[in-house]
Amino acid sequence: MKISDLDRAALRARLRGAGLRLDLHPFSACVRSELPALADAVALLYADFPLAAEDGFADFHLEIRAEPRWLPFGRWRARFLYDGLPAFVSLPRRQAPTMLEWGLNWCVASHAHQFLVCHAAVLERDGRALVLPAPPGSGKSTLTAVLAHRGWRLLSDELALLDPATGLVHGMARAVNLKNASIDLVTGFVPEAVMSPPVPDTLKGTVALMRPPAEAVRRRAEPARPAWVVLPRWQAGARAGFERLDRAQAALLLAEQSFNYHVLGRRGFDTLTTLVGAVDCLSFRYGTLDELEPAFEALAAGRPPGDAHGT
């Protein structure tokens, strides 16, 4: 049974009761909340995800709880709890949907040490994974949202899960986080994308969440072999093009973007050096969305770095 098979009353009843159990392979999460906005967000963003067994094991037990109502209506807040304990400061209640996404990311990054967890998007083409590290302002999520609807399978927008034992990269195929100007850019360029209502005044500005394509969710349990590490860079007016990236620089970048490199120690170092030694390491600049598809088609076809036209 999928989330979309539940009517809204049944969905809210599970969230208010023992919890809604989401199959987020390779994890499962039990989510509780009495907030209608949270139920609406789950119905929209997780529509294609299957329900995990109600009596099964859950990796993460989460709750988005309303704060006391003595505050004025416009200042009502919500708090994220992990295993019944508050994990973050409270936020305005309208931010509950983004709080769930950020909280799930925190759970994985803080506890899933069977993987090297990096702040990077991952997409797949013909069994090969494209890993996009995410320094601030890189345009990573905009690029991910477009490619996920242009022939590449979404594994993750935020967390690359690198398995030290196999060298494969996993993802949960969850929502893509879009911010500020990128929301209108993606909505206009990818009209088929399903978007949540924008939430203003978050710590990251205005945020909207893009529902993952149904095929990505259906295949979320399929890892991929990394083939490219590409550092994206948005530059207004720039022509789309790739350049070679030094492997040592790529390794340092991934280490900086890793949440648990220091926890894994030598194992984390070996995982990163093996990864960058086996893939093409590139930087990619772009200034318009209409050049993304041809540029990455050329990459998948094995053409040498250059502009979108292969020069």
Side-chain angles (χ1 to χ4, degrees), residues 240-298:
F242 296 93
E243 295 180 358
R244 294 290 178 189
L245 182 67
D246 181 75
R247 294 184 188 277
Q249 184 181 350
L252 286 172
L253 174 65
L254 286 168
E256 290 171 356
Q257 295 298 314
S258 171
F259 294 98
N260 62 345
Y261 180 78
H262 64 292
V263 175
L264 297 187
R266 176 62 182 269
R267 198 177 190 204
F269 174 83
D270 290 342
T271 300
L272 279 191
T273 54
T274 299
L275 169 68
V276 299
V279 303
D280 287 335
C281 298
L282 305 164
S283 64
F284 174 71
R285 70 186 185 281
Y286 71 104
T288 61
L289 300 188
D290 56 1
E291 290 187 330
L292 292 182
E293 185 176 3
F296 281 86
E297 287 293 326

Side-chain angles (χ1 to χ4, degrees), residues 124-309:
E124 175 266 347
R125 184 73 170 266
D126 299 326
R128 298 172 295 169
L130 167 68
V131 180
L132 301 164
S138 63
K140 175 264 302 174
S141 292
T142 304
L143 175 58
T144 300
V146 172
L147 293 183
H149 288 90
R150 295 294 185 269
W152 292 75
R153 175 171 66 98
L154 174 70
L155 274 76
S156 179
D157 172 49
E158 292 288 340
L159 302 178
L161 307 175
L162 300 168
D163 186 342
T166 65
L168 299 177
V169 61
H170 298 253
M172 294 173 280
R174 288 169 42 227
V176 176
N177 287 258
L178 296 168
K179 298 176 283 295
N180 304 314
S182 65
I183 298 171
D184 289 338
L185 280 174
V186 172
T187 300
F189 192 77
V190 189
E192 66 269 33
V194 178
M195 306 285 289
S196 71
V199 178
D201 302 324
T202 77
L203 292 174
K204 298 182 179 182
T206 298
V207 174
L209 300 166
M210 187 194 84
R211 186 165 78 190
E215 179 69 4
V217 176
R218 186 183 70 81
R219 296 176 59 192
R220 71 199 180 286
E222 298 178 23
R225 176 78 54 189
W228 308 277
V229 170
V230 176
L231 173 63
R233 184 174 76 253
W234 167 269
Q235 182 180 335
R239 185 183 179 122
F242 296 93
E243 295 180 358
R244 294 290 178 189
L245 182 67
D246 181 75
R247 294 184 188 277
Q249 184 181 350
L252 286 172
L253 174 65
L254 286 168
E256 290 171 356
Q257 295 298 314
S258 171
F259 294 98
N260 62 345
Y261 180 78
H262 64 292
V263 175
L264 297 187
R266 176 62 182 269
R267 198 177 190 204
F269 174 83
D270 290 342
T271 300
L272 279 191
T273 54
T274 299
L275 169 68
V276 299
V279 303
D280 287 335
C281 298
L282 305 164
S283 64
F284 174 71
R285 70 186 185 281
Y286 71 104
T288 61
L289 300 188
D290 56 1
E291 290 187 330
L292 292 182
E293 185 176 3
F296 281 86
E297 287 293 326
L299 180 69
R303 297 178 196 166
D307 67 25
H309 302 88

